[in-house]
Amino acid sequence: MTLFWTLAGALMLLAFFVVLVPLLRRRPASASLPGVSQDAVNLSLFRQQMAELDTDLANGKIDSAQHQSAKLELERELLHDIDDAGAAAAEHATRGRWLLPLLALAVPALALAFYQATGTPQIIPRLAASATQAPVHGSTGEMPPLDVLAERLAARMEQNPEDIEGWMMLGRTYFAMGQPAPALKALQQAYALAPDNLDVKLTYAEALAANNDNQLEGQPAALISEVLAADPDHINARWLNGMLSFQRGQYTAAIQSWQRVLEQIDPASSDAEDLRGLIAEARQRGGLADEAPATVAAVPTSAAAPKADKPAAATPAPAAAAPGQIEVNVAVAPEFAESIDPSTAVFIYAKAAAGPPMPLAAQRVTLGDLPMTVTLDDSLAINPALKLSSFPTVIVGARISASGQAMPMPGDPQGETGPLNTERASAPIQVLIDQRRP
């Protein structure tokens, strides 16, 4: 019996040695590369991918919309990877403090319990129970929502306030969430750290404008000029400089800036199409319409002028609204009218078919008011510098806002027309809210 316990004790010591030595030698995976953390590896890979995206944009392989979408996705993935790596490191560090003394007691105790249980039917359920109780970290593999990632990054930036790219990423994340005020605060930090970085400077200028009714006059204009002085062909700076000239009424200068951007991007891209629309609008406002192709082709055929050989009295044309006015009749599909609270806000708007994305005129009503007819005109302008009467081709729409905010959100029920010529469209224009915003 003594020999048995001696052998059992020796075996327990051997098992204790086998378990503890690997634990004592364990190091984080990143320790195989001295001075390199997992966060640094993730950040290096992110920079590589961002450089490839910038190269594809410069070569015309993707347009700026695709570039911005891919950039946001990379930033979200980086936020997720950095957070997971930090959590894993914290878990490893915490586990190391209590696991060794626990094992010092657990190994012999478990060995004795195993011996006493050998040959009994209870051993199988015990092992099964112990296996099912083992915690699994991150088993779902789901990416947290954008607001959660923003909170985590904001907390991380408090610990590392010198990270320029982190502040830039946080600012863009807030922009993607439709929160320009916190975006400006984050980008102020980036600008304070790197006032000479062209991309930081330009993004900061956009944040300033976004918090001032999209007006580029003042400090944003000065920052744009500084970027162009350092890089005259900077695409985003040229685009913003054209918009600044447009806001100032300097339409020839706006056209020149946007023409230089057109020379650097894919002529078949959606960005190029939008720019051509802006250039046409600038020519029309500046009395330079004869220098550009007519834009009638952008108007639906149903709104085209009558043929010259058709007698004017044969089919009377519908009465058109007064210049700068659009009458809109808005209705809602039954599935939305029956399932949404009648007090929910509804925004009825008109926006440029080719131009700034913000509405030119908008009116707020409630769902219970529909169907109804409203008149959109310059008195309902969102930005006094961008009036409805100044844009000959517009898109008219209506959107139900569950949040009560003017900022569109995914899933909002909405309805929109195609491009309409405001000088020829009949009144009222019919809009049906019958689909959800993607």
Short mmCIF file of all heavy atoms in Angstrom, two decimals, residues 238-293:
data_model
loop_
_atom_site.label_atom_id
_atom_site.label_comp_id
_atom_site.label_asym_id
_atom_site.label_seq_id
_atom_site.Cartn_x
_atom_site.Cartn_y
_atom_site.Cartn_z
N ARG A 238 -9.93 70.52 -54.02
CA ARG A 238 -10.45 71.17 -55.23
C ARG A 238 -11.99 71.14 -55.25
O ARG A 238 -12.64 72.11 -55.62
CB ARG A 238 -9.91 70.47 -56.47
CG ARG A 238 -8.54 70.94 -56.90
CD ARG A 238 -8.63 72.32 -57.49
NE ARG A 238 -7.30 72.93 -57.55
CZ ARG A 238 -7.09 74.23 -57.63
NH1 ARG A 238 -8.12 75.06 -57.63
NH2 ARG A 238 -5.88 74.72 -57.68
N TRP A 239 -12.56 70.02 -54.83
CA TRP A 239 -14.02 69.91 -54.82
C TRP A 239 -14.61 70.92 -53.84
O TRP A 239 -15.56 71.63 -54.15
CB TRP A 239 -14.42 68.49 -54.42
CG TRP A 239 -15.88 68.20 -54.64
CD1 TRP A 239 -16.46 67.64 -55.72
CD2 TRP A 239 -16.95 68.48 -53.72
NE1 TRP A 239 -17.82 67.55 -55.55
CE2 TRP A 239 -18.16 68.06 -54.34
CE3 TRP A 239 -17.02 69.04 -52.44
CZ2 TRP A 239 -19.39 68.18 -53.72
CZ3 TRP A 239 -18.25 69.17 -51.84
CH2 TRP A 239 -19.43 68.73 -52.47
N LEU A 240 -14.03 70.98 -52.62
CA LEU A 240 -14.53 71.92 -51.62
C LEU A 240 -14.30 73.37 -52.03
O LEU A 240 -15.12 74.24 -51.75
CB LEU A 240 -13.86 71.65 -50.27
CG LEU A 240 -14.31 70.38 -49.55
CD1 LEU A 240 -13.48 70.15 -48.30
CD2 LEU A 240 -15.79 70.46 -49.19
N ASN A 241 -13.18 73.63 -52.71
CA ASN A 241 -12.92 74.98 -53.18
C ASN A 241 -13.96 75.41 -54.21
O ASN A 241 -14.39 76.57 -54.24
CB ASN A 241 -11.52 75.07 -53.78
CG ASN A 241 -11.11 76.50 -54.07
OD1 ASN A 241 -11.07 77.34 -53.19
ND2 ASN A 241 -10.80 76.79 -55.33
N GLY A 242 -14.38 74.45 -55.07
CA GLY A 242 -15.44 74.75 -56.02
C GLY A 242 -16.75 75.06 -55.30
O GLY A 242 -17.47 75.99 -55.68
N MET A 243 -17.07 74.28 -54.25
CA MET A 243 -18.29 74.54 -53.49
C MET A 243 -18.22 75.89 -52.79
O MET A 243 -19.22 76.62 -52.71
CB MET A 243 -18.52 73.42 -52.48
CG MET A 243 -19.84 73.53 -51.73
SD MET A 243 -21.28 73.57 -52.83
CE MET A 243 -21.23 71.89 -53.48
N LEU A 244 -17.03 76.24 -52.27
CA LEU A 244 -16.86 77.55 -51.63
C LEU A 244 -17.11 78.68 -52.63
O LEU A 244 -17.82 79.65 -52.33
CB LEU A 244 -15.45 77.65 -51.04
CG LEU A 244 -15.05 79.01 -50.46
CD1 LEU A 244 -15.94 79.38 -49.28
CD2 LEU A 244 -13.58 78.99 -50.03
N SER A 245 -16.55 78.56 -53.83
CA SER A 245 -16.77 79.57 -54.87
C SER A 245 -18.24 79.63 -55.25
O SER A 245 -18.80 80.71 -55.48
CB SER A 245 -15.91 79.26 -56.10
OG SER A 245 -14.54 79.27 -55.78
N PHE A 246 -18.89 78.46 -55.31
CA PHE A 246 -20.32 78.41 -55.64
C PHE A 246 -21.13 79.17 -54.58
O PHE A 246 -22.03 79.94 -54.90
CB PHE A 246 -20.76 76.95 -55.72
CG PHE A 246 -22.17 76.76 -56.23
CD1 PHE A 246 -22.40 76.56 -57.58
CD2 PHE A 246 -23.25 76.76 -55.36
CE1 PHE A 246 -23.69 76.37 -58.06
CE2 PHE A 246 -24.54 76.58 -55.83
CZ PHE A 246 -24.76 76.39 -57.19
N GLN A 247 -20.82 78.95 -53.30
CA GLN A 247 -21.53 79.63 -52.23
C GLN A 247 -21.30 81.15 -52.27
O GLN A 247 -22.16 81.93 -51.86
CB GLN A 247 -21.10 79.07 -50.86
CG GLN A 247 -21.58 77.65 -50.62
CD GLN A 247 -21.12 77.11 -49.27
OE1 GLN A 247 -20.36 77.76 -48.54
NE2 GLN A 247 -21.59 75.90 -48.92
N ARG A 248 -20.13 81.56 -52.76
CA ARG A 248 -19.82 82.98 -52.86
C ARG A 248 -20.42 83.63 -54.11
O ARG A 248 -20.34 84.84 -54.28
CB ARG A 248 -18.30 83.18 -52.89
CG ARG A 248 -17.60 82.88 -51.57
CD ARG A 248 -16.10 82.92 -51.74
NE ARG A 248 -15.40 82.83 -50.46
CZ ARG A 248 -14.08 82.70 -50.34
NH1 ARG A 248 -13.32 82.61 -51.44
NH2 ARG A 248 -13.51 82.66 -49.15
N GLY A 249 -21.00 82.81 -55.00
CA GLY A 249 -21.52 83.34 -56.25
C GLY A 249 -20.47 83.51 -57.32
O GLY A 249 -20.72 84.14 -58.35
N GLN A 250 -19.28 82.94 -57.10
CA GLN A 250 -18.18 83.02 -58.07
C GLN A 250 -18.25 81.77 -58.96
O GLN A 250 -17.47 80.83 -58.81
CB GLN A 250 -16.84 83.13 -57.34
CG GLN A 250 -16.74 84.35 -56.44
CD GLN A 250 -15.53 84.31 -55.51
OE1 GLN A 250 -14.87 83.28 -55.37
NE2 GLN A 250 -15.23 85.42 -54.86
N TYR A 251 -19.19 81.76 -59.87
CA TYR A 251 -19.51 80.55 -60.61
C TYR A 251 -18.42 80.14 -61.59
O TYR A 251 -18.19 78.95 -61.81
CB TYR A 251 -20.85 80.73 -61.31
CG TYR A 251 -21.97 81.05 -60.35
CD1 TYR A 251 -22.64 82.26 -60.40
CD2 TYR A 251 -22.31 80.14 -59.35
CE1 TYR A 251 -23.64 82.56 -59.49
CE2 TYR A 251 -23.32 80.43 -58.44
CZ TYR A 251 -23.98 81.64 -58.51
OH TYR A 251 -24.96 81.94 -57.61
N THR A 252 -17.74 81.12 -62.19
CA THR A 252 -16.65 80.77 -63.11
C THR A 252 -15.53 80.06 -62.37
O THR A 252 -14.98 79.05 -62.84
CB THR A 252 -16.11 82.03 -63.80
OG1 THR A 252 -17.16 82.67 -64.53
CG2 THR A 252 -14.97 81.68 -64.75
N ALA A 253 -15.18 80.57 -61.18
CA ALA A 253 -14.14 79.93 -60.37
C ALA A 253 -14.57 78.54 -59.92
O ALA A 253 -13.76 77.61 -59.88
CB ALA A 253 -13.81 80.81 -59.16
N ALA A 254 -15.86 78.39 -59.58
CA ALA A 254 -16.36 77.08 -59.18
C ALA A 254 -16.22 76.08 -60.32
O ALA A 254 -15.79 74.94 -60.13
CB ALA A 254 -17.82 77.19 -58.73
N ILE A 255 -16.58 76.51 -61.53
CA ILE A 255 -16.48 75.63 -62.70
C ILE A 255 -15.04 75.21 -62.93
O ILE A 255 -14.74 74.04 -63.20
CB ILE A 255 -17.06 76.34 -63.94
CG1 ILE A 255 -18.58 76.52 -63.79
CG2 ILE A 255 -16.74 75.55 -65.21
CD1 ILE A 255 -19.20 77.40 -64.84
N GLN A 256 -14.12 76.15 -62.81
CA GLN A 256 -12.71 75.84 -63.04
C GLN A 256 -12.20 74.82 -62.02
O GLN A 256 -11.46 73.89 -62.38
CB GLN A 256 -11.89 77.12 -62.95
CG GLN A 256 -12.13 78.09 -64.11
CD GLN A 256 -11.42 79.41 -63.91
OE1 GLN A 256 -10.89 79.72 -62.83
NE2 GLN A 256 -11.39 80.23 -64.97
N SER A 257 -12.58 74.96 -60.76
CA SER A 257 -12.16 74.00 -59.73
C SER A 257 -12.72 72.62 -60.02
O SER A 257 -12.00 71.61 -59.95
CB SER A 257 -12.62 74.47 -58.35
OG SER A 257 -11.90 75.59 -57.91
N TRP A 258 -14.00 72.54 -60.34
CA TRP A 258 -14.62 71.24 -60.58
C TRP A 258 -14.14 70.59 -61.86
O TRP A 258 -14.08 69.36 -61.96
CB TRP A 258 -16.14 71.41 -60.58
CG TRP A 258 -16.68 71.69 -59.21
CD1 TRP A 258 -16.14 71.30 -58.03
CD2 TRP A 258 -17.87 72.42 -58.88
NE1 TRP A 258 -16.91 71.74 -56.97
CE2 TRP A 258 -17.97 72.42 -57.46
CE3 TRP A 258 -18.85 73.05 -59.63
CZ2 TRP A 258 -19.02 73.05 -56.79
CZ3 TRP A 258 -19.91 73.68 -58.96
CH2 TRP A 258 -19.99 73.68 -57.57
N GLN A 259 -13.80 71.40 -62.87
CA GLN A 259 -13.23 70.84 -64.10
C GLN A 259 -11.90 70.14 -63.82
O GLN A 259 -11.61 69.09 -64.38
CB GLN A 259 -13.03 71.94 -65.15
CG GLN A 259 -14.32 72.45 -65.78
CD GLN A 259 -14.92 71.47 -66.78
OE1 GLN A 259 -14.48 70.33 -66.89
NE2 GLN A 259 -15.94 71.91 -67.50
N ARG A 260 -11.09 70.71 -62.92
CA ARG A 260 -9.81 70.09 -62.58
C ARG A 260 -10.03 68.76 -61.85
O ARG A 260 -9.26 67.82 -62.00
CB ARG A 260 -8.99 71.04 -61.72
CG ARG A 260 -8.49 72.25 -62.50
CD ARG A 260 -7.54 73.09 -61.69
NE ARG A 260 -6.29 72.39 -61.40
CZ ARG A 260 -5.21 72.98 -60.88
NH1 ARG A 260 -5.25 74.27 -60.61
NH2 ARG A 260 -4.13 72.29 -60.64
N VAL A 261 -11.11 68.70 -61.06
CA VAL A 261 -11.42 67.43 -60.40
C VAL A 261 -11.86 66.40 -61.43
O VAL A 261 -11.45 65.23 -61.37
CB VAL A 261 -12.52 67.63 -59.34
CG1 VAL A 261 -12.92 66.29 -58.72
CG2 VAL A 261 -12.05 68.58 -58.25
N LEU A 262 -12.68 66.81 -62.39
CA LEU A 262 -13.15 65.90 -63.44
C LEU A 262 -11.98 65.28 -64.21
O LEU A 262 -12.06 64.14 -64.65
CB LEU A 262 -14.07 66.64 -64.41
CG LEU A 262 -15.56 66.73 -64.04
CD1 LEU A 262 -16.31 67.54 -65.07
CD2 LEU A 262 -16.17 65.34 -63.92
N GLU A 263 -10.92 66.02 -64.37
CA GLU A 263 -9.76 65.52 -65.11
C GLU A 263 -9.03 64.42 -64.36
O GLU A 263 -8.23 63.68 -64.94
CB GLU A 263 -8.79 66.67 -65.40
CG GLU A 263 -9.36 67.73 -66.33
CD GLU A 263 -8.47 68.97 -66.42
OE1 GLU A 263 -7.41 68.97 -65.74
OE2 GLU A 263 -8.82 69.92 -67.14
N GLN A 264 -9.30 64.28 -63.04
CA GLN A 264 -8.55 63.32 -62.22
C GLN A 264 -9.37 62.09 -61.81
O GLN A 264 -8.82 61.18 -61.18
CB GLN A 264 -8.05 64.01 -60.94
CG GLN A 264 -7.14 65.21 -61.20
CD GLN A 264 -6.70 65.87 -59.90
OE1 GLN A 264 -6.02 65.26 -59.06
NE2 GLN A 264 -7.10 67.12 -59.70
N ILE A 265 -10.66 62.07 -62.14
CA ILE A 265 -11.48 60.94 -61.72
C ILE A 265 -12.06 60.22 -62.94
O ILE A 265 -11.98 60.72 -64.06
CB ILE A 265 -12.63 61.40 -60.79
CG1 ILE A 265 -13.59 62.34 -61.52
CG2 ILE A 265 -12.07 62.08 -59.54
CD1 ILE A 265 -14.78 62.76 -60.68
N ASP A 266 -12.62 59.06 -62.69
CA ASP A 266 -13.21 58.25 -63.76
C ASP A 266 -14.43 58.99 -64.33
O ASP A 266 -15.38 59.28 -63.61
CB ASP A 266 -13.63 56.90 -63.19
CG ASP A 266 -14.23 55.97 -64.23
OD1 ASP A 266 -14.25 56.36 -65.41
OD2 ASP A 266 -14.65 54.86 -63.85
N PRO A 267 -14.42 59.30 -65.63
CA PRO A 267 -15.54 60.06 -66.22
C PRO A 267 -16.86 59.29 -66.19
O PRO A 267 -17.92 59.90 -66.33
CB PRO A 267 -15.08 60.32 -67.65
CG PRO A 267 -14.04 59.28 -67.93
CD PRO A 267 -13.36 59.04 -66.62
N ALA A 268 -16.82 57.96 -66.00
CA ALA A 268 -18.05 57.18 -65.96
C ALA A 268 -18.57 56.97 -64.54
O ALA A 268 -19.60 56.32 -64.34
CB ALA A 268 -17.82 55.82 -66.62
N SER A 269 -17.87 57.51 -63.54
CA SER A 269 -18.27 57.29 -62.15
C SER A 269 -19.45 58.19 -61.77
O SER A 269 -19.74 59.18 -62.45
CB SER A 269 -17.09 57.57 -61.21
OG SER A 269 -16.74 58.95 -61.26
N SER A 270 -20.10 57.82 -60.66
CA SER A 270 -21.22 58.64 -60.18
C SER A 270 -20.74 60.00 -59.71
O SER A 270 -21.46 61.00 -59.82
CB SER A 270 -21.94 57.91 -59.03
OG SER A 270 -21.04 57.65 -57.96
N ASP A 271 -19.51 60.07 -59.18
CA ASP A 271 -18.96 61.36 -58.76
C ASP A 271 -18.81 62.30 -59.95
O ASP A 271 -19.10 63.50 -59.84
CB ASP A 271 -17.59 61.16 -58.10
CG ASP A 271 -17.72 60.56 -56.71
OD1 ASP A 271 -18.81 60.68 -56.11
OD2 ASP A 271 -16.74 59.98 -56.22
N ALA A 272 -18.34 61.75 -61.07
CA ALA A 272 -18.20 62.58 -62.27
C ALA A 272 -19.55 63.08 -62.74
O ALA A 272 -19.69 64.24 -63.16
CB ALA A 272 -17.49 61.77 -63.37
N GLU A 273 -20.56 62.22 -62.66
CA GLU A 273 -21.91 62.64 -63.07
C GLU A 273 -22.42 63.76 -62.18
O GLU A 273 -23.01 64.74 -62.65
CB GLU A 273 -22.85 61.44 -63.01
CG GLU A 273 -24.26 61.74 -63.48
CD GLU A 273 -25.15 60.51 -63.44
OE1 GLU A 273 -24.63 59.41 -63.16
OE2 GLU A 273 -26.36 60.67 -63.66
N ASP A 274 -22.20 63.64 -60.87
CA ASP A 274 -22.63 64.69 -59.94
C ASP A 274 -21.89 66.00 -60.23
O ASP A 274 -22.50 67.08 -60.19
CB ASP A 274 -22.37 64.27 -58.50
CG ASP A 274 -23.28 63.13 -58.06
OD1 ASP A 274 -24.32 62.93 -58.72
OD2 ASP A 274 -22.96 62.45 -57.08
N LEU A 275 -20.61 65.90 -60.52
CA LEU A 275 -19.83 67.11 -60.81
C LEU A 275 -20.32 67.79 -62.08
O LEU A 275 -20.40 69.02 -62.13
CB LEU A 275 -18.35 66.75 -60.94
CG LEU A 275 -17.53 66.81 -59.65
CD1 LEU A 275 -16.08 66.41 -59.94
CD2 LEU A 275 -17.55 68.20 -59.05
N ARG A 276 -20.65 67.01 -63.08
CA ARG A 276 -21.17 67.62 -64.31
C ARG A 276 -22.49 68.34 -64.05
O ARG A 276 -22.76 69.40 -64.63
CB ARG A 276 -21.33 66.54 -65.39
CG ARG A 276 -19.99 66.11 -66.01
CD ARG A 276 -20.21 65.23 -67.23
NE ARG A 276 -20.67 63.90 -66.87
CZ ARG A 276 -19.87 62.87 -66.67
NH1 ARG A 276 -18.56 63.03 -66.77
NH2 ARG A 276 -20.37 61.68 -66.35
N GLY A 277 -23.30 67.77 -63.14
CA GLY A 277 -24.53 68.46 -62.78
C GLY A 277 -24.26 69.76 -62.05
O GLY A 277 -24.92 70.78 -62.29
N LEU A 278 -23.27 69.76 -61.15
CA LEU A 278 -22.90 70.99 -60.45
C LEU A 278 -22.36 72.04 -61.40
O LEU A 278 -22.66 73.24 -61.28
CB LEU A 278 -21.86 70.67 -59.37
CG LEU A 278 -22.36 69.94 -58.12
CD1 LEU A 278 -21.19 69.54 -57.24
CD2 LEU A 278 -23.32 70.81 -57.33
N ILE A 279 -21.56 71.60 -62.35
CA ILE A 279 -21.00 72.54 -63.33
C ILE A 279 -22.11 73.15 -64.18
O ILE A 279 -22.12 74.37 -64.45
CB ILE A 279 -19.95 71.83 -64.20
CG1 ILE A 279 -18.71 71.49 -63.37
CG2 ILE A 279 -19.57 72.69 -65.41
CD1 ILE A 279 -17.71 70.61 -64.08
N ALA A 280 -23.07 72.32 -64.57
CA ALA A 280 -24.19 72.84 -65.36
C ALA A 280 -24.99 73.85 -64.55
O ALA A 280 -25.43 74.88 -65.07
CB ALA A 280 -25.09 71.68 -65.81
N GLU A 281 -25.18 73.56 -63.26
CA GLU A 281 -25.91 74.49 -62.40
C GLU A 281 -25.14 75.81 -62.24
O GLU A 281 -25.74 76.89 -62.26
CB GLU A 281 -26.12 73.85 -61.03
CG GLU A 281 -26.89 74.70 -60.05
CD GLU A 281 -28.32 74.96 -60.48
OE1 GLU A 281 -28.88 74.13 -61.22
OE2 GLU A 281 -28.86 76.01 -60.09
N ALA A 282 -23.82 75.72 -62.10
CA ALA A 282 -23.02 76.94 -61.98
C ALA A 282 -23.07 77.76 -63.26
O ALA A 282 -23.15 79.00 -63.22
CB ALA A 282 -21.57 76.57 -61.64
N ARG A 283 -23.05 77.10 -64.42
CA ARG A 283 -23.16 77.82 -65.69
C ARG A 283 -24.51 78.53 -65.79
O ARG A 283 -24.60 79.67 -66.24
CB ARG A 283 -22.98 76.85 -66.86
CG ARG A 283 -21.57 76.30 -67.01
CD ARG A 283 -21.43 75.56 -68.33
NE ARG A 283 -20.15 74.90 -68.44
CZ ARG A 283 -19.01 75.51 -68.79
NH1 ARG A 283 -19.02 76.81 -69.02
NH2 ARG A 283 -17.89 74.84 -68.87
N GLN A 284 -25.57 77.83 -65.36
CA GLN A 284 -26.90 78.42 -65.45
C GLN A 284 -27.02 79.64 -64.54
O GLN A 284 -27.54 80.68 -64.92
CB GLN A 284 -27.94 77.36 -65.08
CG GLN A 284 -29.39 77.75 -65.33
CD GLN A 284 -30.01 78.49 -64.16
OE1 GLN A 284 -29.58 78.32 -63.02
NE2 GLN A 284 -30.99 79.33 -64.45
N ARG A 285 -26.47 79.53 -63.32
CA ARG A 285 -26.55 80.65 -62.39
C ARG A 285 -25.69 81.83 -62.83
O ARG A 285 -26.06 82.99 -62.61
CB ARG A 285 -26.10 80.21 -61.00
CG ARG A 285 -27.09 79.30 -60.30
CD ARG A 285 -26.78 79.29 -58.82
NE ARG A 285 -27.66 78.39 -58.09
CZ ARG A 285 -27.81 78.43 -56.78
NH1 ARG A 285 -27.15 79.32 -56.07
NH2 ARG A 285 -28.62 77.59 -56.18
N GLY A 286 -24.55 81.52 -63.43
CA GLY A 286 -23.65 82.59 -63.85
C GLY A 286 -23.94 83.12 -65.24
O GLY A 286 -23.15 83.92 -65.76
N GLY A 287 -25.03 82.67 -65.85
CA GLY A 287 -25.35 83.13 -67.20
C GLY A 287 -24.41 82.57 -68.24
O GLY A 287 -24.18 83.19 -69.28
N LEU A 288 -23.84 81.41 -67.97
CA LEU A 288 -22.89 80.78 -68.89
C LEU A 288 -23.47 79.51 -69.49
O LEU A 288 -22.73 78.64 -69.94
CB LEU A 288 -21.59 80.43 -68.13
CG LEU A 288 -20.93 81.58 -67.37
CD1 LEU A 288 -19.81 81.08 -66.50
CD2 LEU A 288 -20.41 82.63 -68.34
N ALA A 289 -24.79 79.41 -69.53
CA ALA A 289 -25.44 78.16 -69.97
C ALA A 289 -25.10 77.81 -71.41
O ALA A 289 -25.05 76.65 -71.77
CB ALA A 289 -26.96 78.27 -69.81
N ASP A 290 -24.83 78.80 -72.24
CA ASP A 290 -24.55 78.52 -73.65
C ASP A 290 -23.22 77.81 -73.84
O ASP A 290 -22.96 77.23 -74.89
CB ASP A 290 -24.53 79.84 -74.45
CG ASP A 290 -25.91 80.46 -74.55
OD1 ASP A 290 -26.91 79.73 -74.35
OD2 ASP A 290 -25.97 81.68 -74.80
N GLU A 291 -22.37 77.82 -72.83
CA GLU A 291 -21.05 77.19 -72.96
C GLU A 291 -21.10 75.71 -72.61
O GLU A 291 -20.13 75.01 -72.75
CB GLU A 291 -20.05 77.88 -72.04
CG GLU A 291 -19.87 79.34 -72.38
CD GLU A 291 -18.87 80.00 -71.45
OE1 GLU A 291 -18.07 79.26 -70.84
OE2 GLU A 291 -18.86 81.23 -71.34
N ALA A 292 -22.24 75.22 -72.13
CA ALA A 292 -22.35 73.81 -71.74
C ALA A 292 -23.50 73.17 -72.48
O ALA A 292 -24.43 73.84 -72.91
CB ALA A 292 -22.59 73.70 -70.23
N PRO A 293 -23.46 71.87 -72.69
CA PRO A 293 -24.57 71.18 -73.34
C PRO A 293 -25.84 71.36 -72.53
O PRO A 293 -25.82 71.48 -71.31
CB PRO A 293 -24.12 69.70 -73.34
CG PRO A 293 -22.65 69.75 -73.15
CD PRO A 293 -22.36 70.97 -72.35
#
